[in-house]
Amino acid sequence: MNSLMRLAWLLALGGGVLATGFTAESTGGAPKEYFVYFGTYTKGKSEGIYRARLNVETGRLSPAELAATTSDPSFLALHPSGQFLYAIDEGSDPIKTPGRGVKAYAVDPRTGGLTFLNEQSAGGAGPCHLEVDRTGRTLLVANYSGGSVASLPLGADGRIGPAVTLRQHVGSSVHPTRQQRPHAHAINVAPDNRYALVPDLGIDRVMLYRLDAAKSTLVPEVSGSVALPPGSGPRHLAFHPRGHFVYVLNELLCTMVVFAYEAASGRLREVQTVSTLPAGEAVQSGTSTAEVVVHPRGKFLYGSNRGHDTIVVYTIDAASGRLTLVQHQATGGKTPRHFAIDPTGTWLLAENQQSDSVVGFKIDPQSGRLTPTGQTLDVPSPVCAVFVPVP
Protein backbone atom coordinates (compact mmCIF):
# COMPACT_ATOMS: atom_id res chain seq x y z
CA MET A 1 0.00 0.00 0.00
CA ASN A 2 1.58 3.32 -1.01
CA SER A 3 1.65 6.36 1.30
CA LEU A 4 -1.42 8.01 -0.23
CA MET A 5 -3.45 4.81 0.04
CA ARG A 6 -2.27 4.35 3.64
CA LEU A 7 -3.30 7.90 4.54
CA ALA A 8 -6.75 7.36 3.03
CA TRP A 9 -7.09 4.08 4.95
CA LEU A 10 -6.15 5.67 8.30
CA LEU A 11 -8.54 8.56 7.77
CA ALA A 12 -11.26 6.11 6.78
CA LEU A 13 -10.86 4.31 10.11
CA GLY A 14 -11.51 7.66 11.74
CA GLY A 15 -14.76 8.07 9.84
CA GLY A 16 -13.73 11.17 7.85
CA VAL A 17 -14.20 9.94 4.29
CA LEU A 18 -16.35 10.76 1.31
CA ALA A 19 -18.49 8.28 -0.59
CA THR A 20 -15.53 7.98 -2.94
CA GLY A 21 -13.41 6.64 -0.11
CA PHE A 22 -10.99 9.58 0.05
CA THR A 23 -10.94 12.77 2.06
CA ALA A 24 -11.63 16.13 0.47
CA GLU A 25 -8.97 18.00 2.37
CA SER A 26 -5.78 18.64 0.47
CA THR A 27 -2.46 17.27 1.67
CA GLY A 28 1.09 17.96 0.57
CA GLY A 29 0.95 14.88 -1.63
CA ALA A 30 -2.50 15.51 -3.08
CA PRO A 31 -2.89 13.89 -6.51
CA LYS A 32 -3.30 15.93 -9.65
CA GLU A 33 -5.23 13.18 -11.43
CA TYR A 34 -7.84 10.58 -10.53
CA PHE A 35 -8.97 7.45 -12.26
CA VAL A 36 -12.75 7.67 -12.70
CA TYR A 37 -14.59 4.35 -12.93
CA PHE A 38 -18.04 4.35 -14.51
CA GLY A 39 -20.71 1.76 -13.81
CA THR A 40 -23.11 1.18 -16.71
CA TYR A 41 -26.06 -0.79 -18.00
CA THR A 42 -24.95 -3.41 -20.52
CA LYS A 43 -28.22 -4.03 -22.35
CA GLY A 44 -27.09 -1.66 -25.11
CA LYS A 45 -23.59 -0.75 -26.33
CA SER A 46 -21.85 -1.03 -22.98
CA GLU A 47 -19.66 -4.00 -22.06
CA GLY A 48 -19.11 -3.32 -18.37
CA ILE A 49 -17.03 -0.93 -16.21
CA TYR A 50 -15.25 1.94 -17.97
CA ARG A 51 -12.30 4.05 -16.86
CA ALA A 52 -11.08 7.57 -17.65
CA ARG A 53 -8.69 10.07 -16.05
CA LEU A 54 -9.69 13.41 -14.53
CA ASN A 55 -7.11 16.18 -14.14
CA VAL A 56 -8.29 18.04 -11.03
CA GLU A 57 -6.27 21.16 -11.90
CA THR A 58 -7.89 21.67 -15.32
CA GLY A 59 -11.04 19.49 -15.29
CA ARG A 60 -9.83 17.68 -18.39
CA LEU A 61 -11.14 14.15 -18.95
CA SER A 62 -9.31 11.54 -21.00
CA PRO A 63 -11.31 9.26 -23.34
CA ALA A 64 -13.04 6.40 -21.54
CA GLU A 65 -11.89 2.82 -22.08
CA LEU A 66 -13.24 -0.54 -20.99
CA ALA A 67 -11.75 -1.58 -17.63
CA ALA A 68 -13.70 -4.80 -16.95
CA THR A 69 -16.21 -6.82 -18.93
CA THR A 70 -19.19 -7.60 -16.70
CA SER A 71 -22.99 -7.57 -16.66
CA ASP A 72 -24.98 -4.49 -15.56
CA PRO A 73 -22.50 -2.99 -13.05
CA SER A 74 -24.91 -0.16 -12.40
CA PHE A 75 -23.46 0.81 -9.05
CA LEU A 76 -19.87 0.78 -7.78
CA ALA A 77 -18.26 1.16 -4.36
CA LEU A 78 -14.64 1.70 -3.40
CA HIS A 79 -12.88 0.10 -0.44
CA PRO A 80 -11.54 2.73 2.01
CA SER A 81 -7.97 1.66 1.18
CA GLY A 82 -8.53 2.36 -2.52
CA GLN A 83 -7.20 -1.10 -3.34
CA PHE A 84 -10.50 -2.79 -4.20
CA LEU A 85 -13.57 -1.91 -6.25
CA TYR A 86 -16.96 -3.58 -5.86
CA ALA A 87 -19.73 -3.74 -8.44
CA ILE A 88 -23.26 -5.08 -8.47
CA ASP A 89 -24.84 -7.18 -11.20
CA GLU A 90 -28.27 -5.57 -11.27
CA GLY A 91 -29.81 -8.33 -13.38
CA SER A 92 -28.97 -11.06 -10.88
CA ASP A 93 -31.49 -13.13 -8.92
CA PRO A 94 -30.72 -15.70 -6.19
CA ILE A 95 -33.04 -18.24 -7.87
CA LYS A 96 -32.45 -17.60 -11.58
CA THR A 97 -28.75 -16.69 -11.30
CA PRO A 98 -27.45 -18.28 -8.07
CA GLY A 99 -24.06 -17.11 -6.84
CA ARG A 100 -24.24 -13.80 -8.70
CA GLY A 101 -24.92 -10.30 -7.49
CA VAL A 102 -21.75 -8.57 -6.23
CA LYS A 103 -18.23 -8.70 -7.66
CA ALA A 104 -14.82 -7.73 -6.26
CA TYR A 105 -11.89 -6.32 -8.24
CA ALA A 106 -8.32 -5.42 -7.29
CA VAL A 107 -7.28 -1.95 -8.49
CA ASP A 108 -3.83 -1.52 -10.00
CA PRO A 109 -2.76 1.88 -8.59
CA ARG A 110 -0.39 2.59 -11.48
CA THR A 111 -2.46 1.64 -14.51
CA GLY A 112 -5.98 1.71 -13.10
CA GLY A 113 -6.46 -1.85 -14.32
CA LEU A 114 -9.04 -4.06 -12.64
CA THR A 115 -8.39 -7.71 -11.77
CA PHE A 116 -11.43 -9.84 -10.96
CA LEU A 117 -11.23 -11.44 -7.50
CA ASN A 118 -14.53 -13.19 -6.83
CA GLU A 119 -18.32 -12.95 -6.81
CA GLN A 120 -21.07 -13.67 -4.29
CA SER A 121 -24.85 -13.71 -4.21
CA ALA A 122 -26.46 -10.46 -3.12
CA GLY A 123 -29.08 -12.50 -1.29
CA GLY A 124 -32.00 -10.90 -3.11
CA ALA A 125 -33.21 -10.08 -6.60
CA GLY A 126 -32.15 -6.96 -8.48
CA PRO A 127 -29.35 -5.47 -6.35
CA CYS A 128 -29.17 -1.74 -7.06
CA HIS A 129 -26.79 -0.15 -4.55
CA LEU A 130 -23.83 -1.10 -2.36
CA GLU A 131 -21.43 0.50 0.09
CA VAL A 132 -18.35 -0.56 2.05
CA ASP A 133 -18.35 0.30 5.76
CA ARG A 134 -15.72 2.69 7.14
CA THR A 135 -13.45 -0.10 8.44
CA GLY A 136 -13.43 -1.97 5.12
CA ARG A 137 -14.67 -5.16 6.76
CA THR A 138 -18.25 -5.28 5.50
CA LEU A 139 -20.01 -4.85 2.16
CA LEU A 140 -23.64 -3.72 2.38
CA VAL A 141 -26.10 -4.30 -0.47
CA ALA A 142 -29.63 -3.06 -1.20
CA ASN A 143 -31.79 -5.35 -3.36
CA TYR A 144 -34.46 -3.38 -5.22
CA SER A 145 -36.57 -6.15 -6.73
CA GLY A 146 -36.23 -8.36 -3.67
CA GLY A 147 -36.95 -5.57 -1.20
CA SER A 148 -34.13 -6.63 1.11
CA VAL A 149 -30.68 -5.67 2.38
CA ALA A 150 -27.66 -7.90 2.93
CA SER A 151 -24.30 -7.69 4.71
CA LEU A 152 -21.27 -9.61 3.46
CA PRO A 153 -17.82 -9.88 5.07
CA LEU A 154 -14.71 -8.66 3.25
CA GLY A 155 -11.35 -10.37 3.56
CA ALA A 156 -8.00 -8.64 3.87
CA ASP A 157 -7.40 -9.62 0.24
CA GLY A 158 -10.58 -7.78 -0.82
CA ARG A 159 -12.58 -10.93 -1.56
CA ILE A 160 -16.26 -11.09 -0.64
CA GLY A 161 -17.55 -13.77 1.71
CA PRO A 162 -21.09 -15.23 1.70
CA ALA A 163 -23.83 -13.03 3.20
CA VAL A 164 -23.96 -13.05 7.00
CA THR A 165 -27.33 -11.32 7.31
CA LEU A 166 -30.27 -10.82 4.95
CA ARG A 167 -33.08 -8.56 6.14
CA GLN A 168 -36.39 -8.63 4.28
CA HIS A 169 -38.60 -5.54 4.23
CA VAL A 170 -42.40 -5.82 4.23
CA GLY A 171 -45.26 -3.53 3.25
CA SER A 172 -46.47 -1.34 0.40
CA SER A 173 -47.68 2.19 -0.28
CA VAL A 174 -50.00 4.15 -2.55
CA HIS A 175 -48.43 4.23 -6.01
CA PRO A 176 -50.27 1.60 -8.08
CA THR A 177 -47.24 0.26 -9.97
CA ARG A 178 -44.11 1.39 -8.11
CA GLN A 179 -45.16 0.69 -4.52
CA GLN A 180 -46.92 -2.66 -4.50
CA ARG A 181 -44.10 -4.16 -2.41
CA PRO A 182 -40.81 -3.16 -0.78
CA HIS A 183 -37.99 -1.79 -2.93
CA ALA A 184 -34.82 -1.12 -0.92
CA HIS A 185 -33.07 1.46 -3.09
CA ALA A 186 -29.83 2.29 -1.27
CA ILE A 187 -27.87 1.58 1.89
CA ASN A 188 -25.63 4.20 3.50
CA VAL A 189 -23.37 3.97 6.54
CA ALA A 190 -23.31 6.80 9.08
CA PRO A 191 -19.98 8.65 9.42
CA ASP A 192 -19.33 7.01 12.82
CA ASN A 193 -20.04 3.54 11.36
CA ARG A 194 -22.64 2.67 14.02
CA TYR A 195 -25.77 2.62 11.87
CA ALA A 196 -26.88 2.08 8.27
CA LEU A 197 -29.88 3.86 6.74
CA VAL A 198 -31.94 2.34 3.92
CA PRO A 199 -34.43 4.37 1.85
CA ASP A 200 -37.14 1.97 0.67
CA LEU A 201 -39.05 3.36 -2.31
CA GLY A 202 -41.83 0.78 -2.11
CA ILE A 203 -42.91 1.37 1.47
CA ASP A 204 -42.14 5.09 1.89
CA ARG A 205 -39.80 4.55 4.80
CA VAL A 206 -36.16 5.06 5.72
CA MET A 207 -35.17 1.94 7.65
CA LEU A 208 -32.54 1.97 10.39
CA TYR A 209 -30.06 -0.84 11.09
CA ARG A 210 -27.40 -1.19 13.76
CA LEU A 211 -24.13 -2.22 12.12
CA ASP A 212 -21.53 -4.48 13.68
CA ALA A 213 -18.71 -4.19 11.15
CA ALA A 214 -16.47 -6.71 12.93
CA LYS A 215 -19.15 -9.40 12.65
CA SER A 216 -20.63 -8.03 9.38
CA THR A 217 -24.15 -8.03 10.81
CA LEU A 218 -27.16 -5.74 10.47
CA VAL A 219 -29.79 -5.59 13.26
CA PRO A 220 -33.07 -3.74 12.58
CA GLU A 221 -33.87 -0.82 14.86
CA VAL A 222 -37.61 -0.61 14.23
CA SER A 223 -38.20 2.38 16.51
CA GLY A 224 -35.62 4.36 14.58
CA SER A 225 -37.11 4.00 11.11
CA VAL A 226 -39.05 6.98 9.78
CA ALA A 227 -42.08 7.30 7.49
CA LEU A 228 -42.30 9.71 4.57
CA PRO A 229 -45.50 11.08 3.01
CA PRO A 230 -47.41 8.45 0.98
CA GLY A 231 -46.19 8.28 -2.60
CA SER A 232 -42.83 9.94 -1.86
CA GLY A 233 -40.69 7.02 -3.05
CA PRO A 234 -37.43 7.59 -1.09
CA ARG A 235 -34.57 6.63 -3.40
CA HIS A 236 -31.15 7.79 -2.19
CA LEU A 237 -29.81 9.72 0.81
CA ALA A 238 -26.63 11.51 1.82
CA PHE A 239 -25.08 12.23 5.20
CA HIS A 240 -23.60 15.63 5.94
CA PRO A 241 -19.81 15.25 6.46
CA ARG A 242 -20.22 16.32 10.10
CA GLY A 243 -22.78 13.54 10.58
CA HIS A 244 -25.57 15.64 12.10
CA PHE A 245 -27.86 15.97 9.05
CA VAL A 246 -29.27 13.52 6.51
CA TYR A 247 -30.72 14.48 3.11
CA VAL A 248 -33.31 12.09 1.62
CA LEU A 249 -34.21 12.35 -2.06
CA ASN A 250 -37.74 11.24 -2.99
CA GLU A 251 -37.94 9.83 -6.52
CA LEU A 252 -41.69 9.97 -7.11
CA LEU A 253 -42.58 13.37 -5.60
CA CYS A 254 -39.30 15.08 -6.61
CA THR A 255 -38.68 16.37 -3.12
CA MET A 256 -35.66 16.69 -0.83
CA VAL A 257 -36.20 16.11 2.89
CA VAL A 258 -33.78 17.44 5.49
CA PHE A 259 -33.45 15.42 8.71
CA ALA A 260 -31.51 16.14 11.86
CA TYR A 261 -29.60 12.97 12.73
CA GLU A 262 -28.93 11.78 16.29
CA ALA A 263 -25.72 9.77 16.08
CA ALA A 264 -26.14 7.97 19.41
CA SER A 265 -29.52 6.44 18.52
CA GLY A 266 -29.66 6.77 14.73
CA ARG A 267 -32.97 8.61 14.99
CA LEU A 268 -34.11 11.11 12.38
CA ARG A 269 -36.11 14.30 12.98
CA GLU A 270 -37.61 16.12 9.99
CA VAL A 271 -36.44 19.70 9.54
CA GLN A 272 -37.54 20.77 6.04
CA THR A 273 -38.98 19.52 2.74
CA VAL A 274 -38.32 21.31 -0.55
CA SER A 275 -39.03 20.59 -4.21
CA THR A 276 -36.14 19.65 -6.49
CA LEU A 277 -37.93 21.40 -9.39
CA PRO A 278 -38.26 25.13 -10.11
CA ALA A 279 -40.86 27.04 -8.08
CA GLY A 280 -44.41 26.34 -9.22
CA GLU A 281 -43.39 23.48 -11.52
CA ALA A 282 -45.38 20.28 -10.95
CA VAL A 283 -44.01 16.78 -11.35
CA GLN A 284 -44.68 15.63 -14.91
CA SER A 285 -44.87 12.12 -16.33
CA GLY A 286 -41.32 10.97 -16.99
CA THR A 287 -39.81 13.28 -14.37
CA SER A 288 -38.15 11.81 -11.29
CA THR A 289 -35.13 12.32 -9.10
CA ALA A 290 -32.06 10.09 -9.02
CA GLU A 291 -28.95 11.08 -7.01
CA VAL A 292 -28.10 13.30 -4.03
CA VAL A 293 -24.60 14.40 -2.95
CA VAL A 294 -23.36 16.74 -0.23
CA HIS A 295 -20.32 18.77 -1.23
CA PRO A 296 -17.15 17.55 0.57
CA ARG A 297 -16.95 20.76 2.60
CA GLY A 298 -20.59 20.48 3.68
CA LYS A 299 -21.64 23.87 2.31
CA PHE A 300 -23.74 22.76 -0.67
CA LEU A 301 -26.18 20.03 -1.65
CA TYR A 302 -26.80 18.69 -5.16
CA GLY A 303 -29.57 16.50 -6.61
CA SER A 304 -30.41 15.24 -10.10
CA ASN A 305 -33.75 15.46 -11.89
CA ARG A 306 -34.39 12.95 -14.68
CA GLY A 307 -36.75 14.05 -17.44
CA HIS A 308 -36.18 17.62 -16.34
CA ASP A 309 -32.48 16.77 -16.94
CA THR A 310 -31.02 19.17 -14.43
CA ILE A 311 -28.86 19.29 -11.32
CA VAL A 312 -30.46 21.29 -8.53
CA VAL A 313 -28.06 23.18 -6.26
CA TYR A 314 -28.75 24.34 -2.68
CA THR A 315 -26.73 26.02 0.02
CA ILE A 316 -26.78 24.35 3.45
CA ASP A 317 -27.26 26.38 6.62
CA ALA A 318 -24.50 25.22 8.96
CA ALA A 319 -26.60 25.48 12.12
CA SER A 320 -29.95 24.03 11.02
CA GLY A 321 -29.13 22.04 7.89
CA ARG A 322 -31.89 23.87 6.04
CA LEU A 323 -31.61 24.40 2.29
CA THR A 324 -31.76 27.50 0.10
CA LEU A 325 -32.11 27.13 -3.67
CA VAL A 326 -29.19 28.36 -5.76
CA GLN A 327 -29.59 26.99 -9.29
CA HIS A 328 -31.03 24.47 -11.73
CA GLN A 329 -28.26 23.55 -14.17
CA ALA A 330 -29.02 21.57 -17.34
CA THR A 331 -26.86 18.42 -17.51
CA GLY A 332 -26.19 18.64 -21.24
CA GLY A 333 -27.77 15.25 -21.88
CA LYS A 334 -30.70 12.98 -21.11
CA THR A 335 -31.55 11.23 -17.85
CA PRO A 336 -28.87 12.11 -15.28
CA ARG A 337 -29.26 8.92 -13.28
CA HIS A 338 -26.13 9.71 -11.26
CA PHE A 339 -23.48 12.37 -10.79
CA ALA A 340 -20.34 12.53 -8.70
CA ILE A 341 -18.15 15.24 -7.17
CA ASP A 342 -14.39 14.71 -7.21
CA PRO A 343 -12.60 14.47 -3.83
CA THR A 344 -11.24 18.03 -4.10
CA GLY A 345 -14.77 19.41 -4.44
CA THR A 346 -13.87 21.27 -7.64
CA TRP A 347 -15.58 19.25 -10.38
CA LEU A 348 -18.97 17.59 -10.84
CA LEU A 349 -19.47 14.86 -13.45
CA ALA A 350 -23.06 14.32 -14.61
CA GLU A 351 -23.77 10.87 -16.05
CA ASN A 352 -26.52 11.08 -18.67
CA GLN A 353 -27.78 7.53 -19.08
CA GLN A 354 -29.95 7.97 -22.16
CA SER A 355 -27.49 10.09 -24.14
CA ASP A 356 -24.38 7.97 -23.41
CA SER A 357 -22.48 10.96 -22.08
CA VAL A 358 -20.63 12.24 -19.04
CA VAL A 359 -20.56 16.05 -18.85
CA GLY A 360 -18.16 18.05 -16.68
CA PHE A 361 -19.01 21.10 -14.55
CA LYS A 362 -16.87 23.38 -12.38
CA ILE A 363 -18.13 24.12 -8.86
CA ASP A 364 -17.88 27.69 -7.62
CA PRO A 365 -16.32 27.41 -4.13
CA GLN A 366 -18.26 30.41 -2.80
CA SER A 367 -21.77 29.82 -4.15
CA GLY A 368 -21.79 26.18 -5.19
CA ARG A 369 -23.01 27.13 -8.66
CA LEU A 370 -22.17 24.90 -11.60
CA THR A 371 -20.57 26.05 -14.86
CA PRO A 372 -20.08 23.69 -17.84
CA THR A 373 -16.41 22.99 -18.55
CA GLY A 374 -16.97 22.00 -22.18
CA GLN A 375 -15.74 18.49 -21.37
CA THR A 376 -18.05 15.72 -22.59
CA LEU A 377 -17.06 12.08 -22.40
CA ASP A 378 -18.55 9.25 -24.45
CA VAL A 379 -19.59 6.47 -22.05
CA PRO A 380 -22.39 4.04 -22.96
CA SER A 381 -25.32 4.10 -20.48
CA PRO A 382 -23.36 5.62 -17.57
CA VAL A 383 -25.06 5.30 -14.18
CA CYS A 384 -22.36 5.59 -11.50
CA ALA A 385 -18.86 7.04 -10.97
CA VAL A 386 -16.13 6.67 -8.32
CA PHE A 387 -12.67 8.22 -8.02
CA VAL A 388 -9.27 6.63 -7.27
CA PRO A 389 -6.13 8.82 -7.07
CA VAL A 390 -3.38 8.35 -9.62
CA PRO A 391 -0.02 8.09 -7.75
Side-chain angles (χ1 to χ4, degrees):
M1 188 184 299
N2 64 34
S3 59
L4 180 61
M5 296 296 188
R6 186 177 295 109
L7 174 63
W9 171 250
L10 291 173
L11 289 168
L13 291 177
V17 294
L18 304 175
T20 59
F22 295 92
T23 61
E25 297 302 321
S26 297
T27 67
K32 296 181 179 180
E33 285 192 320
Y34 283 82
F35 293 116
V36 190
Y37 295 91
F38 297 102
T40 69
Y41 280 120
T42 57
K43 295 176 176 64
K45 295 181 291 185
S46 174
E47 298 180 59
I49 301 170
Y50 288 77
R51 178 187 65 243
R53 286 190 180 213
L54 170 68
N55 184 306
V56 292
E57 295 183 337
T58 65
R60 182 182 179 277
L61 288 161
S62 71
E65 56 186 358
L66 184 65
T69 301
T70 185
S71 174
D72 285 336
S74 63
F75 212 88
L76 309 175
L78 190 66
H79 190 276
S81 69
Q83 293 181 302
F84 311 111
L85 185 71
Y86 300 93
I88 62 170
D89 177 351
E90 188 163 323
S92 64
D93 181 283
I95 304 300
K96 298 177 182 178
T97 55
R100 285 173 50 186
V102 287
K103 294 182 178 181
Y105 297 88
V107 179
D108 185 317
R110 296 292 173 183
T111 68
L114 298 178
T115 301
F116 176 73
L117 296 176
N118 78 326
E119 183 173 18
Q120 291 285 356
S121 171
C128 64
H129 188 272
L130 77 172
E131 184 165 298
V132 182
D133 89 291
R134 309 302 190 202
T135 71
R137 298 173 180 173
T138 301
L139 182 66
L140 304 171
V141 184
N143 297 305
Y144 179 84
S145 300
S148 63
V149 294
S151 58
L152 302 91
L154 296 175
D157 61 358
R159 294 176 183 271
I160 310 168
V164 174
T165 53
L166 178 66
R167 303 294 181 183
Q168 180 64 53
H169 294 181
V170 295
S172 60
S173 195
V174 299
H175 195 285
T177 59
R178 298 293 308 281
Q179 296 183 313
Q180 295 175 318
R181 60 185 184 274
H183 293 301
H185 216 309
I187 184 163
N188 299 90
V189 180
D192 64 4
N193 218 53
R194 297 174 65 178
Y195 293 98
L197 297 182
V198 180
D200 191 309
L201 183 147
I203 61 177
D204 282 326
R205 297 192 74 87
V206 176
M207 307 296 287
L208 176 68
Y209 290 91
R210 182 159 35 89
L211 170 65
D212 186 331
K215 298 179 180 178
S216 296
T217 58
L218 288 171
V219 177
E221 296 283 355
V222 178
S223 62
S225 67
V226 63
L228 290 146
S232 293
R235 176 186 173 90
H236 281 190
L237 62 83
F239 280 91
H240 191 277
R242 288 167 54 193
H244 56 335
F245 302 117
V246 172
Y247 299 90
V248 176
L249 187 66
N250 291 318
E251 177 175 337
L252 303 181
L253 290 186
C254 292
T255 55
M256 189 81 73
V257 185
V258 182
F259 288 97
Y261 177 72
E262 185 179 289
S265 66
R267 292 179 182 272
L268 298 170
R269 175 179 57 82
E270 185 176 345
V271 172
Q272 180 191 25
T273 299
V274 296
S275 175
T276 64
L277 299 173
E281 189 164 328
V283 179
Q284 303 292 325
S285 176
T287 301
S288 63
T289 63
E291 187 57 272
V292 55
V293 176
V294 181
H295 189 273
R297 293 178 181 84
K299 296 171 60 177
F300 316 116
L301 183 73
Y302 300 83
S304 63
N305 293 303
R306 294 177 292 185
H308 197 258
D309 297 336
T310 56
I311 302 291
V312 60
V313 184
Y314 308 96
T315 57
I316 298 174
D317 180 79
S320 68
R322 294 177 66 89
L323 304 175
T324 299
L325 179 66
V326 172
Q327 177 191 27
H328 287 87
Q329 171 63 52
T331 63
K334 297 180 180 179
T335 316
R337 186 181 179 90
H338 186 269
F339 63 92
I341 296 173
D342 85 285
T344 72
T346 307
W347 313 101
L348 182 147
L349 304 182
E351 296 124 66
N352 296 302
Q353 179 187 350
Q354 297 300 325
S355 55
D356 298 329
S357 64
V358 174
V359 178
F361 297 87
K362 187 169 186 180
I363 300 172
D364 184 277
Q366 302 304 317
S367 68
R369 292 183 68 89
L370 301 176
T371 302
T373 64
Q375 290 284 305
T376 299
L377 200 61
D378 293 329
V379 180
S381 299
V383 289
C384 185
V386 298
F387 301 87
V388 177
V390 178

